[in-house]
Amino acid sequence: MQAKEAAEKLGISQRMLRHYEKAGLLSVGRTVNGYRHYTETDLRRAARIRDFIAIGFSTRELRAMKACLADEGAGPCEGGIERLTEKLTHIDQLQADLDLRRNAVLQRLTALRRDLALAS
């Protein structure tokens, strides 16, 4: 299928599909007239890439996990558990940082409201 149909089926833009290809994550065949032609295997791989990006992986990180993107890697893949665990740790660290920032904002907001109430 052509890029437009593939993008619609995946719920992403054609530009994103080209980005996956340019990043070295997806290798798509071409028709005689030079148009990209996506197979069902390409679509499954692109869907995995889309899903990994949606949970926070960068294309650079995904290049290190190429085995997890292929149909052969749809199950357990070399380094997959380690990489997912690292990503989870990173997300937990970001969440903790956001929680600290949120609490600081709440404390300042409470103090400001209190000071304004006392001033009136």
Side-chain angles (χ1 to χ4, degrees), residues 79-93:
I81 291 174
E82 179 183 347
R83 301 266 193 237
L84 285 166
T85 302
E86 289 170 2
K87 181 55 71 178
L88 186 59
T89 299
H90 183 246
I91 290 170
D92 288 343
Q93 289 169 346

Side-chain angles (χ1 to χ4, degrees), residues 7-113:
E8 287 173 359
K9 191 170 184 177
L10 292 165
I12 60 175
S13 67
Q14 292 179 57
R15 184 172 180 248
M16 189 58 64
L17 280 173
R18 288 190 304 273
H19 175 68
Y20 297 168
E21 193 174 354
K22 186 176 180 181
L25 299 172
L26 187 64
S27 180
V28 181
R30 302 267 182 165
T31 61
V32 176
N33 56 4
Y35 292 115
R36 287 174 176 85
H37 177 76
Y38 293 85
T39 64
E40 288 301 318
T41 300
D42 295 330
L43 291 179
R44 286 190 298 272
R45 184 179 183 97
R48 288 185 192 103
I49 295 166
R50 177 202 60 205
D51 294 347
F52 274 117
I53 288 173
I55 63 172
F57 282 86
S58 68
T59 54
R60 179 185 53 78
E61 290 171 316
L62 290 178
R63 276 194 298 275
M65 296 176 59
K66 274 189 167 182
C68 299
L69 301 174
D71 279 351
E72 303 82 46
C77 59
E78 185 68 34
I81 291 174
E82 179 183 347
R83 301 266 193 237
L84 285 166
T85 302
E86 289 170 2
K87 181 55 71 178
L88 186 59
T89 299
H90 183 246
I91 290 170
D92 288 343
Q93 289 169 346
L94 291 172
Q95 182 67 51
D97 184 48
L98 286 173
D99 288 343
L100 287 173
R101 291 177 188 206
R102 184 178 191 283
N103 288 334
V105 169
L106 285 173
Q107 288 173 357
R108 289 182 183 171
L109 184 59
T110 300
L112 180 59
R113 285 181 175 153

